[in-house]
Amino acid sequence: MGCSIRASLLLLFSLIAFFSPLSKGDVELSPQFYDYTCPKAQEITRNVVAQAYAKDPRIAGSLLRLHFHDCFVKGCDASILLDSSGTIVSEKRSVPNRDSARGFEVIDQIKLALEKECPLTVSCADILTITARDSVVMAGGPDWAVSLGRRDSLGGSVQGSNNDIPAPNNTLPTILTKFKRQGLDLLDLVALSGSHTIGDSRCTSFRQRLYNQTGNGQPDSTLDLSYASQLRTRCPQSGGDQNLFFLDPATPFKFDNQYYKNLIEHKGLLSSDELLFTQNNDTMEIVEKFAENQGLFFQTYVNSIIKMGNISPLTGSNGEIRKICRRVNHT
């Protein structure tokens, strides 16, 4: 195990304070940001998420994914929520988001309720951050204090969405490069990949593993044979692109450490999941530690998602507080 990974784990065991960098505008984010201007902000958000979750538990993974796909493109600024209009080409049209990003109506509902309670106060970027935490908690995962004070972007970047979000068929070096570009490291990569303990993926995202992983017409040798056979029944060589599969078939709606146990059994659904166990000794050792110690996974996950939520937020007078999350205030 590399010294840096060992050092990172030692830091975790010693419960160091989490990292909260200064943001654009040099105003630090704070859990108390809305205490006076909108004290019920988190309660209102949680209630809407709870209603949505009761109707459709799948929404937890969807809302968590929105936060991830937002933060990896120009920082956590709600750019992913903007529809195409005027000069804005929506990030919803990008390859990682098209036909798969969902949960926008839940964000709309939260924003509507917050605008009634405290107009033009709570940003869409903060809503995404709060809903990610609430989704994890509702699915049985850890809780944490969300730092707030992000503002909303005035545009999006479909190109950034296409280039910066890790893809299911990326190599481990490519994925790690994309994480490092955001100030995240190998430990963050393995921990945040644990988000795949809930949620679904489409056949089109892993089909090559079942039929032609390396271009030689053979399935992925790191995929359990019986699991591959089961997947082929609903993910044929052609057609069925949008068919959905649990990322963690063992406990699909429970936020736990089962994802890492699946990887050890060669039952990671996506190539980008399984390679954490098969292609790098450092990531393999972290996978094994998380598989045997759920508390360690939860603790690491909280540190890493807080760090991700602090990527380049707009603060101070930068950006704006959108009235409607799907569009900028003045178009």
Side-chain angles (χ1 to χ4, degrees), residues 127-155:
I127 291 171
L128 283 173
T129 313
I130 297 166
T131 57
R133 187 270 315 273
D134 291 348
S135 295
V136 169
V137 172
M138 281 171 205
D143 198 354
W144 65 93
V146 174
S147 290
L148 302 165
R150 298 164 193 78
R151 288 166 66 84
D152 300 324
S153 72
L154 301 173

PDB file of all heavy atoms in Angstrom, residues 127-155:
ATOM      1  N   ILE A 127     -29.422  23.685  -2.671  1.00  0.00           N
ATOM      2  CA  ILE A 127     -30.500  22.685  -2.679  1.00  0.00           C
ATOM      3  C   ILE A 127     -29.953  21.335  -3.131  1.00  0.00           C
ATOM      4  O   ILE A 127     -30.222  20.299  -2.517  1.00  0.00           O
ATOM      5  CB  ILE A 127     -31.676  23.134  -3.586  1.00  0.00           C
ATOM      6  CG1 ILE A 127     -32.399  24.338  -2.980  1.00  0.00           C
ATOM      7  CG2 ILE A 127     -32.661  21.981  -3.809  1.00  0.00           C
ATOM      8  CD1 ILE A 127     -33.427  24.978  -3.901  1.00  0.00           C
ATOM      9  N   LEU A 128     -29.150  21.327  -4.201  1.00  0.00           N
ATOM     10  CA  LEU A 128     -28.553  20.082  -4.688  1.00  0.00           C
ATOM     11  C   LEU A 128     -27.679  19.430  -3.620  1.00  0.00           C
ATOM     12  O   LEU A 128     -27.679  18.205  -3.447  1.00  0.00           O
ATOM     13  CB  LEU A 128     -27.708  20.343  -5.936  1.00  0.00           C
ATOM     14  CG  LEU A 128     -28.458  20.548  -7.254  1.00  0.00           C
ATOM     15  CD1 LEU A 128     -27.496  20.972  -8.347  1.00  0.00           C
ATOM     16  CD2 LEU A 128     -29.197  19.276  -7.663  1.00  0.00           C
ATOM     17  N   THR A 129     -26.937  20.249  -2.885  1.00  0.00           N
ATOM     18  CA  THR A 129     -26.034  19.733  -1.855  1.00  0.00           C
ATOM     19  C   THR A 129     -26.810  19.144  -0.685  1.00  0.00           C
ATOM     20  O   THR A 129     -26.472  18.074  -0.176  1.00  0.00           O
ATOM     21  CB  THR A 129     -25.100  20.858  -1.363  1.00  0.00           C
ATOM     22  OG1 THR A 129     -24.555  21.551  -2.484  1.00  0.00           O
ATOM     23  CG2 THR A 129     -23.956  20.305  -0.543  1.00  0.00           C
ATOM     24  N   ILE A 130     -27.869  19.832  -0.280  1.00  0.00           N
ATOM     25  CA  ILE A 130     -28.698  19.342   0.829  1.00  0.00           C
ATOM     26  C   ILE A 130     -29.421  18.056   0.430  1.00  0.00           C
ATOM     27  O   ILE A 130     -29.484  17.092   1.203  1.00  0.00           O
ATOM     28  CB  ILE A 130     -29.729  20.408   1.272  1.00  0.00           C
ATOM     29  CG1 ILE A 130     -29.023  21.661   1.805  1.00  0.00           C
ATOM     30  CG2 ILE A 130     -30.661  19.843   2.335  1.00  0.00           C
ATOM     31  CD1 ILE A 130     -29.946  22.873   1.950  1.00  0.00           C
ATOM     32  N   THR A 131     -29.976  18.018  -0.792  1.00  0.00           N
ATOM     33  CA  THR A 131     -30.731  16.832  -1.221  1.00  0.00           C
ATOM     34  C   THR A 131     -29.825  15.609  -1.344  1.00  0.00           C
ATOM     35  O   THR A 131     -30.273  14.483  -1.099  1.00  0.00           O
ATOM     36  CB  THR A 131     -31.471  17.060  -2.555  1.00  0.00           C
ATOM     37  OG1 THR A 131     -30.532  17.432  -3.564  1.00  0.00           O
ATOM     38  CG2 THR A 131     -32.530  18.116  -2.445  1.00  0.00           C
ATOM     39  N   ALA A 132     -28.561  15.827  -1.704  1.00  0.00           N
ATOM     40  CA  ALA A 132     -27.615  14.700  -1.777  1.00  0.00           C
ATOM     41  C   ALA A 132     -27.446  14.082  -0.396  1.00  0.00           C
ATOM     42  O   ALA A 132     -27.516  12.864  -0.222  1.00  0.00           O
ATOM     43  CB  ALA A 132     -26.271  15.170  -2.335  1.00  0.00           C
ATOM     44  N   ARG A 133     -27.237  14.943   0.610  1.00  0.00           N
ATOM     45  CA  ARG A 133     -27.099  14.456   1.992  1.00  0.00           C
ATOM     46  C   ARG A 133     -28.381  13.760   2.447  1.00  0.00           C
ATOM     47  O   ARG A 133     -28.345  12.661   3.004  1.00  0.00           O
ATOM     48  CB  ARG A 133     -26.765  15.642   2.909  1.00  0.00           C
ATOM     49  CG  ARG A 133     -26.414  15.281   4.360  1.00  0.00           C
ATOM     50  CD  ARG A 133     -27.628  15.256   5.294  1.00  0.00           C
ATOM     51  NE  ARG A 133     -28.529  16.364   5.164  1.00  0.00           N
ATOM     52  CZ  ARG A 133     -28.419  17.533   5.792  1.00  0.00           C
ATOM     53  NH1 ARG A 133     -27.410  17.753   6.596  1.00  0.00           N
ATOM     54  NH2 ARG A 133     -29.330  18.475   5.602  1.00  0.00           N
ATOM     55  N   ASP A 134     -29.532  14.400   2.213  1.00  0.00           N
ATOM     56  CA  ASP A 134     -30.807  13.827   2.645  1.00  0.00           C
ATOM     57  C   ASP A 134     -31.066  12.469   1.987  1.00  0.00           C
ATOM     58  O   ASP A 134     -31.607  11.555   2.621  1.00  0.00           O
ATOM     59  CB  ASP A 134     -31.957  14.782   2.328  1.00  0.00           C
ATOM     60  CG  ASP A 134     -31.929  16.041   3.191  1.00  0.00           C
ATOM     61  OD1 ASP A 134     -31.164  16.068   4.188  1.00  0.00           O
ATOM     62  OD2 ASP A 134     -32.660  16.995   2.867  1.00  0.00           O
ATOM     63  N   SER A 135     -30.673  12.331   0.731  1.00  0.00           N
ATOM     64  CA  SER A 135     -30.867  11.072  -0.001  1.00  0.00           C
ATOM     65  C   SER A 135     -30.057   9.952   0.630  1.00  0.00           C
ATOM     66  O   SER A 135     -30.548   8.827   0.807  1.00  0.00           O
ATOM     67  CB  SER A 135     -30.465  11.246  -1.470  1.00  0.00           C
ATOM     68  OG  SER A 135     -31.314  12.169  -2.109  1.00  0.00           O
ATOM     69  N   VAL A 136     -28.808  10.253   0.983  1.00  0.00           N
ATOM     70  CA  VAL A 136     -27.943   9.258   1.628  1.00  0.00           C
ATOM     71  C   VAL A 136     -28.545   8.837   2.971  1.00  0.00           C
ATOM     72  O   VAL A 136     -28.633   7.649   3.287  1.00  0.00           O
ATOM     73  CB  VAL A 136     -26.513   9.819   1.823  1.00  0.00           C
ATOM     74  CG1 VAL A 136     -25.681   8.898   2.725  1.00  0.00           C
ATOM     75  CG2 VAL A 136     -25.821   9.995   0.475  1.00  0.00           C
ATOM     76  N   VAL A 137     -28.988   9.815   3.756  1.00  0.00           N
ATOM     77  CA  VAL A 137     -29.549   9.529   5.084  1.00  0.00           C
ATOM     78  C   VAL A 137     -30.822   8.681   4.964  1.00  0.00           C
ATOM     79  O   VAL A 137     -30.997   7.701   5.689  1.00  0.00           O
ATOM     80  CB  VAL A 137     -29.836  10.839   5.858  1.00  0.00           C
ATOM     81  CG1 VAL A 137     -30.605  10.559   7.149  1.00  0.00           C
ATOM     82  CG2 VAL A 137     -28.530  11.563   6.175  1.00  0.00           C
ATOM     83  N   MET A 138     -31.711   9.041   4.021  1.00  0.00           N
ATOM     84  CA  MET A 138     -32.966   8.309   3.873  1.00  0.00           C
ATOM     85  C   MET A 138     -32.746   6.870   3.435  1.00  0.00           C
ATOM     86  O   MET A 138     -33.545   5.981   3.732  1.00  0.00           O
ATOM     87  CB  MET A 138     -33.897   9.043   2.906  1.00  0.00           C
ATOM     88  CG  MET A 138     -34.584  10.205   3.580  1.00  0.00           C
ATOM     89  SD  MET A 138     -35.506  11.261   2.449  1.00  0.00           S
ATOM     90  CE  MET A 138     -35.484  12.791   3.382  1.00  0.00           C
ATOM     91  N   ALA A 139     -31.647   6.630   2.721  1.00  0.00           N
ATOM     92  CA  ALA A 139     -31.335   5.272   2.282  1.00  0.00           C
ATOM     93  C   ALA A 139     -30.546   4.493   3.342  1.00  0.00           C
ATOM     94  O   ALA A 139     -30.094   3.382   3.086  1.00  0.00           O
ATOM     95  CB  ALA A 139     -30.552   5.326   0.966  1.00  0.00           C
ATOM     96  N   GLY A 140     -30.376   5.085   4.533  1.00  0.00           N
ATOM     97  CA  GLY A 140     -29.728   4.375   5.629  1.00  0.00           C
ATOM     98  C   GLY A 140     -28.251   4.670   5.807  1.00  0.00           C
ATOM     99  O   GLY A 140     -27.568   4.009   6.589  1.00  0.00           O
ATOM    100  N   GLY A 141     -27.757   5.687   5.092  1.00  0.00           N
ATOM    101  CA  GLY A 141     -26.348   6.037   5.174  1.00  0.00           C
ATOM    102  C   GLY A 141     -26.049   7.060   6.250  1.00  0.00           C
ATOM    103  O   GLY A 141     -26.919   7.411   7.053  1.00  0.00           O
ATOM    104  N   PRO A 142     -24.822   7.561   6.287  1.00  0.00           N
ATOM    105  CA  PRO A 142     -24.406   8.498   7.335  1.00  0.00           C
ATOM    106  C   PRO A 142     -25.017   9.883   7.160  1.00  0.00           C
ATOM    107  O   PRO A 142     -25.439  10.253   6.062  1.00  0.00           O
ATOM    108  CB  PRO A 142     -22.881   8.564   7.149  1.00  0.00           C
ATOM    109  CG  PRO A 142     -22.674   8.279   5.691  1.00  0.00           C
ATOM    110  CD  PRO A 142     -23.731   7.279   5.323  1.00  0.00           C
ATOM    111  N   ASP A 143     -25.041  10.639   8.239  1.00  0.00           N
ATOM    112  CA  ASP A 143     -25.522  12.017   8.233  1.00  0.00           C
ATOM    113  C   ASP A 143     -24.322  12.947   8.407  1.00  0.00           C
ATOM    114  O   ASP A 143     -23.282  12.536   8.924  1.00  0.00           O
ATOM    115  CB  ASP A 143     -26.509  12.216   9.387  1.00  0.00           C
ATOM    116  CG  ASP A 143     -27.391  13.449   9.215  1.00  0.00           C
ATOM    117  OD1 ASP A 143     -27.166  14.228   8.256  1.00  0.00           O
ATOM    118  OD2 ASP A 143     -28.293  13.644  10.053  1.00  0.00           O
ATOM    119  N   TRP A 144     -24.443  14.174   7.946  1.00  0.00           N
ATOM    120  CA  TRP A 144     -23.384  15.161   8.160  1.00  0.00           C
ATOM    121  C   TRP A 144     -23.957  16.565   8.031  1.00  0.00           C
ATOM    122  O   TRP A 144     -25.034  16.768   7.477  1.00  0.00           O
ATOM    123  CB  TRP A 144     -22.218  14.960   7.182  1.00  0.00           C
ATOM    124  CG  TRP A 144     -22.538  15.194   5.726  1.00  0.00           C
ATOM    125  CD1 TRP A 144     -22.384  16.347   5.011  1.00  0.00           C
ATOM    126  CD2 TRP A 144     -23.050  14.222   4.782  1.00  0.00           C
ATOM    127  NE1 TRP A 144     -22.760  16.158   3.697  1.00  0.00           N
ATOM    128  CE2 TRP A 144     -23.169  14.868   3.540  1.00  0.00           C
ATOM    129  CE3 TRP A 144     -23.408  12.872   4.878  1.00  0.00           C
ATOM    130  CZ2 TRP A 144     -23.640  14.212   2.395  1.00  0.00           C
ATOM    131  CZ3 TRP A 144     -23.882  12.224   3.739  1.00  0.00           C
ATOM    132  CH2 TRP A 144     -23.991  12.902   2.520  1.00  0.00           C
ATOM    133  N   ALA A 145     -23.229  17.525   8.604  1.00  0.00           N
ATOM    134  CA  ALA A 145     -23.631  18.926   8.492  1.00  0.00           C
ATOM    135  C   ALA A 145     -23.199  19.451   7.135  1.00  0.00           C
ATOM    136  O   ALA A 145     -22.025  19.345   6.761  1.00  0.00           O
ATOM    137  CB  ALA A 145     -22.972  19.741   9.606  1.00  0.00           C
ATOM    138  N   VAL A 146     -24.137  20.004   6.378  1.00  0.00           N
ATOM    139  CA  VAL A 146     -23.845  20.528   5.038  1.00  0.00           C
ATOM    140  C   VAL A 146     -23.462  22.006   5.144  1.00  0.00           C
ATOM    141  O   VAL A 146     -24.226  22.809   5.674  1.00  0.00           O
ATOM    142  CB  VAL A 146     -25.068  20.369   4.109  1.00  0.00           C
ATOM    143  CG1 VAL A 146     -24.822  21.032   2.765  1.00  0.00           C
ATOM    144  CG2 VAL A 146     -25.404  18.894   3.915  1.00  0.00           C
ATOM    145  N   SER A 147     -22.289  22.332   4.644  1.00  0.00           N
ATOM    146  CA  SER A 147     -21.893  23.741   4.577  1.00  0.00           C
ATOM    147  C   SER A 147     -22.644  24.414   3.437  1.00  0.00           C
ATOM    148  O   SER A 147     -22.789  23.834   2.352  1.00  0.00           O
ATOM    149  CB  SER A 147     -20.383  23.852   4.355  1.00  0.00           C
ATOM    150  OG  SER A 147     -19.712  23.431   5.521  1.00  0.00           O
ATOM    151  N   LEU A 148     -23.111  25.645   3.671  1.00  0.00           N
ATOM    152  CA  LEU A 148     -23.986  26.331   2.724  1.00  0.00           C
ATOM    153  C   LEU A 148     -23.463  27.733   2.405  1.00  0.00           C
ATOM    154  O   LEU A 148     -22.569  28.235   3.076  1.00  0.00           O
ATOM    155  CB  LEU A 148     -25.400  26.402   3.308  1.00  0.00           C
ATOM    156  CG  LEU A 148     -26.022  25.040   3.659  1.00  0.00           C
ATOM    157  CD1 LEU A 148     -27.240  25.198   4.545  1.00  0.00           C
ATOM    158  CD2 LEU A 148     -26.361  24.267   2.387  1.00  0.00           C
ATOM    159  N   GLY A 149     -24.036  28.324   1.372  1.00  0.00           N
ATOM    160  CA  GLY A 149     -23.610  29.657   0.952  1.00  0.00           C
ATOM    161  C   GLY A 149     -23.179  29.716  -0.499  1.00  0.00           C
ATOM    162  O   GLY A 149     -22.692  30.744  -0.975  1.00  0.00           O
ATOM    163  N   ARG A 150     -23.385  28.598  -1.230  1.00  0.00           N
ATOM    164  CA  ARG A 150     -23.074  28.600  -2.667  1.00  0.00           C
ATOM    165  C   ARG A 150     -24.083  29.477  -3.409  1.00  0.00           C
ATOM    166  O   ARG A 150     -25.229  29.592  -2.982  1.00  0.00           O
ATOM    167  CB  ARG A 150     -23.169  27.176  -3.239  1.00  0.00           C
ATOM    168  CG  ARG A 150     -22.212  26.192  -2.638  1.00  0.00           C
ATOM    169  CD  ARG A 150     -22.619  24.741  -2.958  1.00  0.00           C
ATOM    170  NE  ARG A 150     -21.861  23.820  -2.120  1.00  0.00           N
ATOM    171  CZ  ARG A 150     -22.134  23.575  -0.849  1.00  0.00           C
ATOM    172  NH1 ARG A 150     -23.175  24.169  -0.268  1.00  0.00           N
ATOM    173  NH2 ARG A 150     -21.391  22.743  -0.155  1.00  0.00           N
ATOM    174  N   ARG A 151     -23.652  30.045  -4.526  1.00  0.00           N
ATOM    175  CA  ARG A 151     -24.567  30.776  -5.395  1.00  0.00           C
ATOM    176  C   ARG A 151     -24.652  30.056  -6.738  1.00  0.00           C
ATOM    177  O   ARG A 151     -23.877  29.126  -7.006  1.00  0.00           O
ATOM    178  CB  ARG A 151     -24.106  32.225  -5.542  1.00  0.00           C
ATOM    179  CG  ARG A 151     -24.347  33.021  -4.240  1.00  0.00           C
ATOM    180  CD  ARG A 151     -23.620  34.340  -4.211  1.00  0.00           C
ATOM    181  NE  ARG A 151     -24.113  35.294  -5.210  1.00  0.00           N
ATOM    182  CZ  ARG A 151     -25.169  36.094  -5.041  1.00  0.00           C
ATOM    183  NH1 ARG A 151     -25.855  36.061  -3.915  1.00  0.00           N
ATOM    184  NH2 ARG A 151     -25.522  36.950  -5.978  1.00  0.00           N
ATOM    185  N   ASP A 152     -25.604  30.482  -7.573  1.00  0.00           N
ATOM    186  CA  ASP A 152     -25.897  29.775  -8.815  1.00  0.00           C
ATOM    187  C   ASP A 152     -25.185  30.390 -10.013  1.00  0.00           C
ATOM    188  O   ASP A 152     -25.052  31.610 -10.110  1.00  0.00           O
ATOM    189  CB  ASP A 152     -27.405  29.773  -9.066  1.00  0.00           C
ATOM    190  CG  ASP A 152     -28.180  29.086  -7.952  1.00  0.00           C
ATOM    191  OD1 ASP A 152     -27.653  28.090  -7.408  1.00  0.00           O
ATOM    192  OD2 ASP A 152     -29.296  29.540  -7.625  1.00  0.00           O
ATOM    193  N   SER A 153     -24.790  29.530 -10.925  1.00  0.00           N
ATOM    194  CA  SER A 153     -24.067  29.983 -12.119  1.00  0.00           C
ATOM    195  C   SER A 153     -24.996  30.723 -13.075  1.00  0.00           C
ATOM    196  O   SER A 153     -26.224  30.607 -13.009  1.00  0.00           O
ATOM    197  CB  SER A 153     -23.463  28.786 -12.849  1.00  0.00           C
ATOM    198  OG  SER A 153     -24.489  28.037 -13.482  1.00  0.00           O
ATOM    199  N   LEU A 154     -24.388  31.463 -13.972  1.00  0.00           N
ATOM    200  CA  LEU A 154     -25.127  32.196 -15.013  1.00  0.00           C
ATOM    201  C   LEU A 154     -25.068  31.473 -16.351  1.00  0.00           C
ATOM    202  O   LEU A 154     -25.525  31.987 -17.364  1.00  0.00           O
ATOM    203  CB  LEU A 154     -24.548  33.613 -15.147  1.00  0.00           C
ATOM    204  CG  LEU A 154     -24.596  34.457 -13.863  1.00  0.00           C
ATOM    205  CD1 LEU A 154     -23.842  35.768 -14.046  1.00  0.00           C
ATOM    206  CD2 LEU A 154     -26.047  34.738 -13.453  1.00  0.00           C
ATOM    207  N   GLY A 155     -24.502  30.275 -16.347  1.00  0.00           N
ATOM    208  CA  GLY A 155     -24.399  29.501 -17.582  1.00  0.00           C
ATOM    209  C   GLY A 155     -24.009  28.074 -17.271  1.00  0.00           C
ATOM    210  O   GLY A 155     -23.815  27.699 -16.116  1.00  0.00           O
TER     211      GLY A 155
END
